[in-house]
Every structure is written in structure tokens, then in C-alpha cells.
Amino acid sequence: MSRESEADLPGDPLLPGALPEALRAELVAFRRDLHMHPELGNQEFRTTAAIKARLEQAGLAPRVLAIGTGLVCDIGDPGDVRPRLALRADIDALPIPDTKSDCAYRSTVPDRAHACGHDVHTTVVLGAGLVLADLHAQALLPRPVRLIFQPAEEVLPGGAPDAIDSGVLEGVGRIVGVHCDPKVDAGRIGLRHGAITSACDRLEVSLDGAGGHTARPHLTTDLVTAAARVVTDVPALVGKRVDARSGLAVTWGRIESGHACNVIPQHAELSGTVRCLDLDAWRAAPDLVHAAIDEIANLYRAKSEINYIRGVPPVVNDPAVTDLLRDAMTARRGAYSIEDTEQSLGGEDFSWYLEHVPGAMARLGVRTPGERTTRDLHRGDFDADEHAITVGVEMFTAAALLDQPA
């Protein structure tokens, strides 16, 4: 989805690194190509090859990660040992169909779509890298920069831990990223000090016991009732055992048990998510959830088996790095192009990087100004106003130019 680029908002006209029009058009085409060819996590071979080819065309030396997809690429003098600013993008798509009927660049792959904007994130970091490489050639890049194109963000616990194990943070002092936000107009970004996303884990529970006739439930383990009580009582118990401000919430998405109306089954299965706004409460969550499930299951003489799958902690923005993005956006487009944003209940594996280095994530506006319908994330009709690419590139290039860590 595109429109004419709006006029630059007031900023610093002397700051280099504005996106040239020819490169802007190339990046829009690059994003549309990615959008037409989405690849799932750890399968992003075509995407990786396309990014690598364009970086090499610019004279850079990208390295494919040891896991086989994704890349890392340094910009700056090889001998410069000062801590680098890393720009991170996620490159994978979602296993859902693209339902945009009127879009020339809709997905060509059945049941696959870039419905979370990772194609935009990738294009923004690629574009910023190309601009910064040109600035480095002109001796205008004050500090070294690293580009990280990470696979498998949508696959719990995300591709970030594998990327970190591949060494992408070695020599990195700070890291920044963006995430598309369909509630924010293109041309603007949302910023927040502290937690900007939530933790998200996955929970799978099996209940087993002696079944029997519904006429004699007292002789059975009444698994349907036990499962129903786990569904209703566990979230309440967990919520009472942590500070309410932590926002720890168990939400069920699936419950299955039984085949006949007059037979008490021997097996029940439940699955859902555990979300949390607070990092300390997230660390305590597995023990709290296990204890609550066992407590309810024992009341009904049901045997419980719990598979608690760690997902991602909250993304907690470092104030100084958040202010760097604020300064960068102000320099490019003026202070009124920035809005405060709320903490999302969604999860993001960018959080794993912040366990090692300070960093910040900004919400990149992708809604066409005046559009009344919000094309939400993780829906088959999601699309982005491509002016957001220009905004993201210029914010990142300004951040690299203004980065002066203590």
C-alpha cells in the first residue's frame, strides 16, 4: 500500500543521511518482493539470499548466521573496537493466508503472509545500512554500526537466542529495533521508557484419571469438571498470588475432552498462554502456574502433566536508548512526530537482546493518515503504508549519527 510521500516535517536540515528518492523507490520494491514471497521461521532462505545480495552489491560483507538463515553485517572500519550500535530486523512471516484481494503484491505462497510487518522491518534496516555505508564511504559515520537480520521471531522462544549464540552481540554496546503499529499514522513513531511489550509463554496441560458412566461420577475422576475448574480457577489463583500490577494472566485457547454425552472421559487437554507485564513476575510465573494447576487437579483426584514452554520476557526499553531514538526522530521530522505509546500485551523476542545490552524498540506508524479501518497485526488483510519505510530508515540513520554512549 503506497501513497505520495508527505513533505518532510521540520527537523535538522544539516544532519546527513536523508533517504534519496531513487533508493526509496528501490526499497519499496524490495519490500513488495518480500511480501510476495513470505517464508516461515528458520526457512527464510530466499529472504536471506536477497538481503545478502543487496548488501554485497553495496560493497559490504554480510555473514549468514550459523543457524543457516539470517545475517549480520558490520559497517565501519574493521579495526574500530568501540562498541557498536546494532540495528535489528526480524525476517520471518506467519502461517496464515494473505486475504488482500485488491493487492498486486499479495503473497504468492499459500497459507503464508507477512502479516506482522517483518518485511517492513527488514527493509528499514536494509535501507538504513545502505545509507550508512554511503556515509561511511564519505567519512561521515562517527561510530561503527551492525545490522542484524534475525530469523524466526514468530517461533517461541524466538530466533534471538540462536542469533545471540551466533555472536551477533559481540562488540555491540546498544541495540535498537522497530515494530509496525497499525494504530499509529505513517510519519510518526511511538516511544516508551521501560516495558513496551509483555512476556508471553505457552502452556499445555494434560489431565488423566479413571473415567466411567455419567450416572456414577462418584466412582470416577470427573475429568470434564476438573478441566473446567482448571480453566476457571487457575487464572484466579495465579492472579491472587502476585502483585496485581504485574498483569500476570493465564488465558486458555483450547480445551478438549470426551466423545459421548454419557461417558466421563479418561483424558483431557488444555492449552493457552501466560502473559505478564512485569519481568520479576514473569520469572516467577512457571512455579506459580504449576502449583495452581496441581492444586486444582488434586481436588478432583486427577493426574496432571504440565508442559510450560518459555516464550519471551517483556521488552524493557532502556531510557537512554529510548531518548536516542527520540532525538533521532526529532532531528529528522520534529518533536510532534513522536507520540507516547502504551505497553502492549504482545510478545517480542527483541527482549532477549536486552538481557545482554541496553536497547529500545520504537513503534513504527504504518496506518495511512485518514484511513478509518485498522488493518491489525496477525490478520490476513494486514498491510502497511510504505511511507513508514522512509521514516524508519531516516530515524535509524539519525540514531547512528547521534549515538554517543557514555
Side-chain angles (χ1 to χ4, degrees), residues 1-342:
M1 180 168 56
S2 66
R3 60 182 173 85
E4 292 298 320
S5 298
E6 63 188 45
D8 286 342
L9 297 175
D12 183 353
L14 300 180
L15 187 70
L19 184 62
E21 179 59 26
L23 181 55
R24 186 202 69 81
E26 179 191 347
L27 292 175
V28 168
F30 188 91
R31 179 258 168 171
R32 293 185 178 191
D33 179 72
L34 294 185
H35 200 84
M36 293 174 66
H37 301 92
E39 297 174 301
L40 299 184
N42 296 316
Q43 301 173 27
E44 313 95 332
F45 297 103
R46 183 187 185 279
T47 302
T48 297
I51 300 166
K52 182 173 183 286
R54 185 60 185 91
L55 292 171
E56 289 177 338
Q57 182 184 337
L60 298 171
R63 307 183 303 278
V64 176
L65 300 183
I67 49 182
T69 62
L71 308 98
V72 61
C73 183
D74 288 334
I75 302 170
D77 295 327
D80 193 335
V81 297
R82 290 177 297 171
R84 298 175 180 272
L85 175 69
L87 315 180
R88 175 268 196 176
D90 38 12
I91 65 174
D92 57 324
L94 284 162
I96 64 174
D98 189 333
T99 61
K100 297 188 295 296
S101 60
D102 59 345
C103 178
Y105 52 87
R106 65 180 296 190
S107 172
T108 61
V109 184
D111 300 320
R112 302 288 186 268
H114 268 297
C116 200
H118 294 188
D119 53 336
V120 175
H121 307 164
T122 299
T123 305
V124 164
V125 173
L126 174 64
L130 296 175
V131 172
L132 292 172
D134 184 62
L135 292 176
H136 173 63
Q138 301 175 57
L140 296 176
L141 184 63
R143 302 181 67 86
V145 173
R146 174 165 295 162
L147 313 178
I148 299 173
F149 298 92
Q150 175 217 300
E153 190 275 333
E154 298 288 355
V155 182
L156 287 178
D162 286 336
I164 293 168
D165 289 344
S166 293
V168 300
L169 291 183
E170 294 175 7
V172 168
R174 293 173 161 189
I175 188 168
V176 293
V178 293
H179 199 295
C180 290
D181 191 336
K183 300 186 299 298
V184 177
D185 284 351
R188 299 173 61 83
I189 65 161
L191 290 176
R192 178 183 176 89
H193 282 188
I196 193 171
T197 71
S198 301
C200 180
D201 299 333
R202 192 165 76 234
L203 180 61
E204 298 172 350
V205 181
S206 295
L207 300 176
D208 290 282
H213 202 293
T214 56
R216 292 176 289 278
H218 59 291
L219 301 179
T220 73
T221 299
D222 191 353
L223 278 184
V224 173
T225 299
R229 291 298 297 270
V230 168
V231 166
T232 58
D233 291 357
V234 166
L237 279 176
V238 170
K240 294 294 185 182
R241 293 173 179 176
V242 293
D243 190 323
R245 291 169 294 185
S246 70
L248 181 59
V250 178
T251 305
W252 302 102
R254 184 180 71 93
I255 178 170
E256 293 185 13
S257 186
H259 300 283
C261 67
N262 60 345
V263 177
I264 293 175
Q266 296 177 308
H267 182 73
E269 293 183 357
L270 307 87
S271 58
T273 60
V274 180
R275 297 183 186 271
C276 187
L277 303 175
D278 177 76
L279 188 58
D280 290 336
W282 175 74
R283 289 171 174 150
D287 290 341
L288 291 171
V289 172
H290 272 77
I293 292 172
D294 288 341
E295 186 174 326
I296 300 302
N298 288 339
L299 288 175
Y300 291 87
R301 304 189 304 276
K303 179 184 177 182
S304 61
E305 183 175 334
I306 303 165
N307 184 20
Y308 193 106
I309 303 164
R310 266 305 195 194
V312 293
V315 172
V316 182
N317 280 350
D318 178 81
V321 185
T322 305
D323 288 343
L324 171 64
L325 293 178
R326 184 179 300 276
D327 292 344
M329 192 66 175
T330 300
R332 290 295 190 206
R333 311 192 65 78
Y336 48 86
S337 63
I338 304 164
E339 59 185 68
D340 295 330
T341 192
E342 62 187 7

